[in-house]
Amino acid sequence: MEQITQAERGIGVQFHPDLYALLSFTNRATSRSPSIAGAFGLMTLDEMVSTYKFLLEEFPGGKNVENPNHAPIDAGAGVRPVWWWPKWIPFMENGGGDYLCVDMDPTLSGNLGQIVIYYHDETFRRKDAQGIGEMLARIADGRETGTYTFNLDQGMIAKR
């Protein structure tokens, strides 16, 4: 698990225990995975670190300095109304610049470890789940009820 610890050091934020467990279980050190949450797939540790550093540099202090006059950020309950937050750890991506992030610094009404959806070209931020466990349980339950299906052609578990 030294690779996970190195990734934590590279980001400078200790991972939530659920994220650490997921990364340990899936061995996300070097390989790509199929998408498991809509179009989002698990990132490698290197991708997590490089993406985090890019977003931190691109949006200092949570602001979009290239477009300072963008519409105000519409944040859901428990999520900070910022373009990007240094305590959001991206762990899943869709290949288009959008990420699911573990929130290590939620607002007072949020939950430590909640999953925040970050869309790079949208001005809203939402909580997708209370945490990784809830997100995975929703997908597993959806498989049983038929809400989610395997799409082997696209390599993903997709919502019907």
Side-chain angles (χ1 to χ4, degrees), residues 78 80 106-111:
R80 294 187 182 280
T107 66
L108 291 176
S109 63
N111 299 31

Side-chain angles (χ1 to χ4, degrees), residues 28 38 42 45 49 60-61 94 102 110-111 113-114 122-123 133 138 151:
R28 297 307 315 140
L42 291 170
L45 290 170
V49 172
N94 67 1
V102 175
N111 299 31
Q114 68 190 6
E122 300 289 345
T123 57
R138 182 180 64 224
N151 182 330

Side-chain angles (χ1 to χ4, degrees), residues 56-73:
L56 193 63
E57 183 178 301
E58 193 74 12
F59 306 114
K63 295 178 175 66
N64 184 343
V65 294
E66 286 188 17
N67 184 8
N69 299 318
H70 64 74
I73 298 295

Side-chain angles (χ1 to χ4, degrees), residues 12-80:
V13 178
Q14 185 173 5
F15 292 173
H16 189 274
D18 290 349
L19 178 58
Y20 195 95
L22 177 66
L23 296 170
S24 298
F25 176 72
T26 59
N27 191 22
R28 297 307 315 140
T30 57
S31 61
R32 296 289 302 150
S33 72
S35 298
I36 62 170
F40 290 89
L42 291 170
M43 300 166 70
T44 67
L45 290 170
D46 288 343
E47 289 170 333
M48 288 173 59
V49 172
S50 65
T51 297
Y52 176 86
K53 287 180 177 180
F54 167 78
L55 291 167
L56 193 63
E57 183 178 301
E58 193 74 12
F59 306 114
K63 295 178 175 66
N64 184 343
V65 294
E66 286 188 17
N67 184 8
N69 299 318
H70 64 74
I73 298 295
D74 175 22
V79 179
R80 294 187 182 280

